[in-house]
Amino acid sequence: MPAHVQTIVPPKLRSGDTLRVVAPARSRTMIMEHDNTRWIDERFAAMGLTLAFGEHVDEDDQFRSGTIEHRVADLHAAFADPDVAGILTVIGGFNSNELLPHLDFDLIAANPKVFCGYSDITALQNAILARTSLVTYSGPHWSNWGMRDHFEPTGDWFRTAAMNDAPIAVEPAQAWTDDPWFADQDTRTPVPNEGWWALRPGHATGRIVGGNLGTLNLLQGTGYMPSLDGALLFLEDDFESDAAHVARCLTSLLQLPDAEGVTGLVVGRFQASSGVTRAALDEIVARQPALRGKPVLAGVDFGHTSPLLTFPVGGTAELSVRADSANLTITRH
């Protein structure tokens, strides 16, 4: 999608709305091996939001997901149902891109609504942007809401993005966690946040493109890849991606023909086990010609740690980075 094409922002959620939970990747059955639904249900009830579930969310094959046909059917049904105001994904996984050739993008475009998830859901979000111009939301899955302690400000950030229109001045969280909380709600160790990493100075505005780096790269060479011309990239990766893997994936993305049009880069926090340090990331950025003279900010609260920022894929943001400080504002969401 060229930079000049106006994106479509879906209607905001309101108290009394119904959200449909679907499983485009992994199944709810896998999540229910550790039942944290008490806290999920309490939080959505407090917001006045009702949860409903796709017909096939519990299908669980050898890949821990349902058939392509059924996953597509649940997604289509959620967009088509006039009683559904928003759609949440159960969790991520690895195979959301299997759905892309089977999606009815005309149906999705005709029924704009909040669609939220992250990680592997990046494939769906950026394909929807490319094919419909609809803004979607990179933010917590249904399952994330089951974190008993140290959950906020994840919920506040979701409400700010999905239930309000005002610009969002993003601020660093005071602390973060990186642990298997879903299996052990009692043993948690928050880490004080050292703040953002101002890697390159500058000022940029742009349309947000991105999410999970490895998943976004799966769209290269397909008809589902959004344009990078005028894009302010928001990128993250998980613990399986060490510095060398991040470097080659970012290089691949920024070698696309329209990557010179990228206006800047915002990088989510890496999990500690990835081994991606500030020094390594600084060197990775230094090797990218497409980023020369453009602002780069890292250590932002999105990715596979908690808390988790909700940001609009296809929305717009403004980034200012100085040597020792930065400002990040989501201006249209």
Side-chain angles (χ1 to χ4, degrees):
M1 184 183 68
H4 65 273
V5 174
Q6 184 70 23
T7 51
I8 301 165
V9 176
K12 298 298 183 183
L13 299 177
R14 300 177 299 172
S15 179
D17 281 343
T18 295
L19 303 181
R20 180 78 57 81
V21 181
V22 297
R26 285 176 169 164
S27 165
R28 184 174 65 167
T29 297
M30 186 185 78
I31 304 306
M32 292 303 294
E33 291 173 2
H34 304 284
D35 185 357
N36 297 304
T37 53
R38 168 188 166 185
W39 295 282
I40 299 174
D41 294 342
E42 287 178 356
R43 288 188 170 115
F44 281 98
M47 291 187 286
L49 299 174
T50 299
L51 294 175
F53 294 86
E55 181 181 355
H56 305 288
V57 294
D58 292 319
E59 280 192 13
D60 190 28
D61 62 16
Q62 63 176 320
F63 299 111
R64 303 308 312 256
S65 64
T67 65
I68 292 173
E69 177 185 9
H70 287 165
R71 285 182 282 148
V72 168
D74 278 0
L75 197 57
H76 283 168
F79 273 103
D81 191 336
D83 294 327
V84 172
I87 305 166
L88 300 179
T89 54
V90 166
I91 197 171
F94 66 93
N95 57 359
S96 292
N97 65 328
E98 292 179 336
L99 311 187
L100 300 181
H102 309 281
L103 292 181
D104 185 341
F105 289 102
D106 291 335
L107 170 69
I108 293 170
N111 296 278
K113 54 190 66 177
V114 168
F115 174 62
C116 186
Y118 75 106
S119 192
D120 192 61
I121 309 305
T122 297
L124 298 175
Q125 293 164 326
N126 286 273
I128 289 172
L129 176 62
R131 297 294 292 271
T132 73
S133 300
L134 176 64
V135 169
T136 59
Y137 297 86
S138 180
H141 302 300
W142 167 81
S143 53
N144 289 104
W145 294 80
M147 183 183 293
R148 185 187 69 195
D149 304 318
H150 313 299
F151 174 71
E152 295 298 354
T154 296
D156 288 335
W157 286 338
F158 173 83
R159 286 183 285 272
T160 298
M163 303 182 79
N164 296 281
D165 293 309
I168 303 168
V170 181
E171 298 286 345
Q174 294 184 353
W176 56 278
T177 60
D178 180 17
D179 51 40
W181 62 268
F182 50 88
D184 184 358
Q185 296 267 28
D186 296 320
T187 307
R188 308 287 309 284
T189 307
V191 179
N193 191 3
E194 66 178 37
W196 293 336
W197 300 345
L199 297 185
R200 295 292 184 277
H203 179 268
T205 59
R207 185 188 68 259
I208 298 173
V209 171
N212 182 260
L213 173 60
T215 304
L216 179 64
N217 275 359
L218 298 176
L219 304 183
Q220 291 189 38
T222 73
Y224 311 111
M225 182 74 190
S227 172
L228 299 185
D229 185 23
L232 181 56
L233 294 175
F234 278 50
L235 300 174
E236 58 86 15
D237 226 324
D238 63 18
F239 73 95
E240 295 180 331
S241 297
D242 60 16
H245 184 78
V246 170
R248 74 193 305 217
C249 286
L250 183 61
T251 297
S252 177
L253 180 66
L254 294 178
Q255 287 177 349
L256 289 176
D258 55 0
E260 287 296 327
V262 166
T263 65
L265 172 62
V266 180
V267 183
R269 181 183 295 107
F270 287 92
Q271 292 177 275
S273 57
S274 72
V276 179
T277 63
R278 177 170 182 163
L281 193 55
D282 187 72
E283 176 63 22
I284 291 168
V285 169
R287 297 184 181 194
Q288 305 302 325
L291 294 178
R292 287 174 187 160
K294 300 173 183 179
V296 180
L297 182 67
V300 181
D301 294 289
F302 65 93
H304 286 71
T305 63
S306 184
L308 182 63
L309 177 70
T310 297
F311 64 85
V313 177
T316 56
E318 181 175 3
L319 173 65
S320 294
V321 182
R322 295 164 294 280
D324 58 354
S325 63
N327 295 98
L328 176 60
T329 303
I330 297 171
T331 53
R332 185 171 186 266
H333 58 93

